[in-house]
Amino acid sequence: MITSSQEADVSQARRATAAFLAENCPWVDRDAVVLVVSELIANAEQHASGWWRLSVSVQEGSLVVELRDGSEAAPVARQGDLGGAGGHGWHIVQRLAGDVAIENRPGGKSVRARWQPAENVLCA
């Protein structure tokens, strides 16, 4: 599944992700993955140039969520503000995803989150 800021907003991206997971990776914590997608998109909209491209796929039996955006700056963990000023998103992504990697790309970056299934459970 691939979508972008030119084709969808964050709520449409969440719905498309949930549908992909139901069909392809029923073993995964769907709410956790959808929350990671929400946080990655929110970070791209707030801290990058505003555009993003989301890919959700199965690679070598694992679920992979990748978000590309137009900023070369890596996400930074900030002190969370319970008063509503944010600072929780990157912590949430790191806590909920099994593995997170950042890769610089020409004109931006890619943030990749990966979830491994438990033994004897396969993604489609």
Side-chain angles (χ1 to χ4, degrees), residues 12-24:
Q12 292 165 319
R14 284 192 301 257
R15 284 193 299 275
T17 299
F20 178 89
L21 298 175
E23 186 173 324
N24 296 284

Side-chain angles (χ1 to χ4, degrees), residues 10 20 41 48 56 68-69 71 75 81 87 91 109 112:
V10 67
F20 178 89
I41 291 172
V56 181
R68 294 183 182 186
D69 65 37
S71 172
D81 179 357
H91 295 287
K109 70 175 167 306
R112 189 174 305 117

Side-chain angles (χ1 to χ4, degrees), residues 28-46:
V28 77
D29 181 343
R30 199 174 334 182
D31 292 335
V33 176
V34 170
L35 182 54
V36 167
V37 165
S38 295
E39 292 298 338
L40 291 175
I41 291 172
N43 286 345
E45 290 178 341
Q46 183 176 1

Side-chain angles (χ1 to χ4, degrees), residues 36 40 55 57 59 63-68 75 90 93 97-105 109-115:
V36 167
L40 291 175
S55 170
S57 62
Q59 297 177 16
L63 171 65
V64 178
V65 170
E66 181 176 10
L67 191 94
R68 294 183 182 186
W90 189 238
V93 169
D99 180 46
V100 180
I102 303 162
E103 181 180 339
N104 288 327
R105 298 181 172 271
K109 70 175 167 306
S110 169
V111 178
R112 189 174 305 117
R114 181 182 301 265
W115 288 262

